[in-house]
Amino acid sequence: MVRAHIATLRGAPSAAPPRPPTVRQVTGWITRHPAALTEEDRAGLKEVLARCPKLDKAGEHVRDFGEMLTDRLGSMLPTWIDAVDASQLPGLTGFALHLLRDLDAVTAGLTLDWSSGGIEGAVNRIKKIKRQLYGRAGFELLRKMILLQ
């Protein structure tokens, strides 16, 4: 009898509970655009946010900031900073208060179409080439390397 009972226990392994999502997964779910999430990701995010109201509030602030970035709504920045400050979420509050240090520049960056991204990329490429050739060659070789790439 004992042998038969143990055989039934060995034959049917108990189902392990699903693994909780990692911090990286949850961060990805919150920072990605909601339309880019799969159904499985949406369900996981909904479950996580239901368990933690502070994380739900942080997710709302992150989505609002992402909307400001995508739609170039720099005029909404002071309102967003006030809302984040009122929520008293440590990481976001610190970020928002640091934005206040140079509010005019941040607002301009979120509003205007101008960008120095292309120039910064070219400068970084030149610096990388210069570091690679450091102490090995003169200006002529550096010039050729920059013009070839």
Side-chain angles (χ1 to χ4, degrees), residues 2 16-17 23 25-26 29 42 45 50 53 60 64 69 84 89 94-95 112 114 122 125-126 128 139 147:
V2 173
V23 173
Q25 283 177 318
V26 175
W29 295 340
R42 276 193 206 110
L45 178 62
E60 287 178 28
D64 291 344
L69 287 174
V84 168
L89 297 169
F95 172 71
L112 303 174
W114 300 340
R125 183 180 63 84
I126 291 170
K128 180 190 82 165
F139 177 75
L147 292 176

Side-chain angles (χ1 to χ4, degrees), residues 24-43:
R24 180 172 282 199
Q25 283 177 318
V26 175
T27 304
W29 295 340
I30 290 173
T31 55
R32 267 186 271 155
H33 193 277
L37 294 174
T38 64
E39 286 300 320
E40 183 180 314
D41 292 345
R42 276 193 206 110

Side-chain angles (χ1 to χ4, degrees), residues 100-112:
L100 278 176
R101 289 183 178 176
D102 204 2
L103 184 63
D104 292 336
V106 176
T107 303
L110 289 174
T111 307
L112 303 174

Side-chain angles (χ1 to χ4, degrees), residues 61 80-89 92-93 96-97:
H61 291 311
W80 181 83
I81 290 174
D82 292 340
V84 168
D85 193 30
S87 67
Q88 293 298 314
L89 297 169
L92 279 178
T93 303
L97 294 179

Side-chain angles (χ1 to χ4, degrees), residues 32-66:
R32 267 186 271 155
H33 193 277
L37 294 174
T38 64
E39 286 300 320
E40 183 180 314
D41 292 345
R42 276 193 206 110
L45 178 62
K46 187 176 180 180
E47 183 180 327
V48 168
L49 295 181
R51 289 184 190 170
C52 182
K54 285 187 176 183
L55 189 59
D56 189 21
K57 193 67 175 167
E60 287 178 28
H61 291 311
V62 168
R63 281 188 293 278
D64 291 344
F65 190 74

